[in-house]
Amino acid sequence: MPKRLIPRSHLTNRQLGQIIDFFVLEIPASKTAKTVGVNRHSVERVYHHLRTTIAIACEKESPLGGDVEVDESYFGGKRKGERGRQVVSKVPVFGLLKRSGKVYTRIVQDVSRSTLQKIIRTKVVPDSIIYSDSFSSYDGLVLDGFKHYRINHSHEFARGKHNHINGIENFWGYAKTRLRRYHGIPRKQFYLYLKEMEFRFNNRKEPNLGELLRRTLKLTKAKLD
């Protein structure tokens, strides 16, 4: 008897394979359930398991090195009158992107210097080159052994061919555009959806994302809730 794609699932491997393929295509759970012929809640459980598996895999990625862009962004609703970096109704997310490589994201409580630079020290290889905007939380990165270039968008778009943070800004646009399709995500689930966007973005050139996800399932120990 073949090993179950997802341990403890009551669904057959054929059904699980179909659900994985529909997940890759970003088909809603309700429509997937009708097509596969199973209960919607069963599909939602599998979708949740896939996102959990993806999140675990993303957190295991090696530190970034070389040319690394850093930036913060905010996700979610916005109340009338809220402006600037500190927006109460939004979720602050810090992102790091290795040029011609992968992105890594972290939900943060705040965008203070201590918070952001702790993540940089943890996720970026020493002696790397950091590119950021002029936000004061990035002050002092050279003291940690990084070479640091800033982009001041209020005065210039970018100075020089390499002095920009276009890559991480491209990811923000990619993630927000795709997440809008869900018409609102519960805050307690947002982390899993964010990591799904990270995984999709990092593997957007992968010719068969479904097969990659199947391999990730085999390598990642995540229990089906």
Side-chain angles (χ1 to χ4, degrees):
M1 185 175 180
K3 190 174 181 180
R4 197 61 57 94
L5 279 171
I6 298 179
R8 294 171 52 189
S9 174
H10 68 277
L11 302 176
T12 66
N13 275 349
R14 180 176 177 276
Q15 291 171 323
L16 290 171
Q18 288 179 303
I19 293 171
I20 290 171
D21 289 337
F22 283 123
F23 175 85
V24 167
L25 294 173
E26 298 177 275
I27 305 299
S30 57
K31 187 172 182 179
T32 296
K34 289 180 181 178
T35 305
V36 179
V38 298
N39 186 280
R40 176 175 60 85
H41 295 298
S42 296
V43 174
E44 289 174 344
R45 289 179 69 212
V46 173
Y47 275 18
H48 179 78
H49 180 78
L50 294 175
R51 291 187 175 105
T52 301
T53 298
I54 285 169
I56 292 172
C58 288
E59 294 294 353
K60 289 181 178 179
E61 287 289 344
S62 300
L64 308 176
D67 290 356
V68 179
E69 299 175 20
V70 301
D71 193 30
E72 350 78 51
S73 191
Y74 292 83
F75 288 74
K78 186 174 182 180
R79 294 173 187 157
K80 187 175 180 180
E82 289 184 330
R83 301 181 66 183
R85 291 180 186 265
Q86 302 290 354
V87 181
V88 175
S89 63
K90 288 183 172 249
V91 179
V93 177
F94 183 49
L96 308 92
L97 178 137
K98 174 180 171 60
R99 289 185 178 168
S100 302
K102 295 186 175 183
V103 68
Y104 174 78
T105 61
R106 178 85 62 87
I107 296 173
V108 291
Q109 291 296 318
D110 57 62
V111 292
S112 65
R113 176 177 172 177
S114 60
T115 296
L116 301 189
Q117 294 199 21
K118 181 179 180 180
I119 298 172
I120 291 173
R121 289 193 296 271
T122 302
K123 297 301 295 185
V124 181
V125 175
D127 299 324
S128 296
I129 302 173
I130 303 289
Y131 296 86
S132 76
D133 61 17
S134 57
F135 187 32
S136 61
S137 287
Y138 302 121
D139 292 348
L141 282 171
V142 291
L143 300 177
D144 288 321
F146 300 108
K147 186 177 254 187
H148 183 202
Y149 292 101
R150 294 175 181 271
I151 296 88
N152 190 333
H153 290 306
S154 64
H155 293 89
E156 58 184 341
F157 179 69
R159 178 178 295 168
K161 185 169 67 172
H162 301 291
N163 199 18
H164 62 80
I165 52 172
N166 297 345
I168 187 66
E169 290 180 341
N170 181 42
F171 170 73
W172 297 138
Y174 172 94
K176 290 178 180 180
T177 297
R178 297 179 95 94
L179 289 173
R180 272 191 213 105
R181 302 175 186 178
Y182 295 100
H183 305 292
I185 298 169
R187 185 166 287 217
K188 66 179 182 179
Q189 297 291 328
F190 175 70
Y191 168 76
L192 296 181
Y193 283 82
L194 175 67
K195 286 298 173 180
E196 179 192 343
M197 296 304 109
E198 181 180 315
F199 180 82
R200 288 182 183 275
F201 182 85
N202 288 341
N203 297 289
R204 61 196 182 283
K205 296 181 181 179
E206 171 66 40
N208 193 329
L209 194 59
E211 284 305 312
L212 175 61
L213 189 47
R214 287 171 173 82
R215 293 196 300 270
T216 304
L217 282 168
K218 292 177 182 179
L219 294 172
T220 306
K221 304 298 182 182
K223 294 182 179 180
L224 182 66
D225 292 334

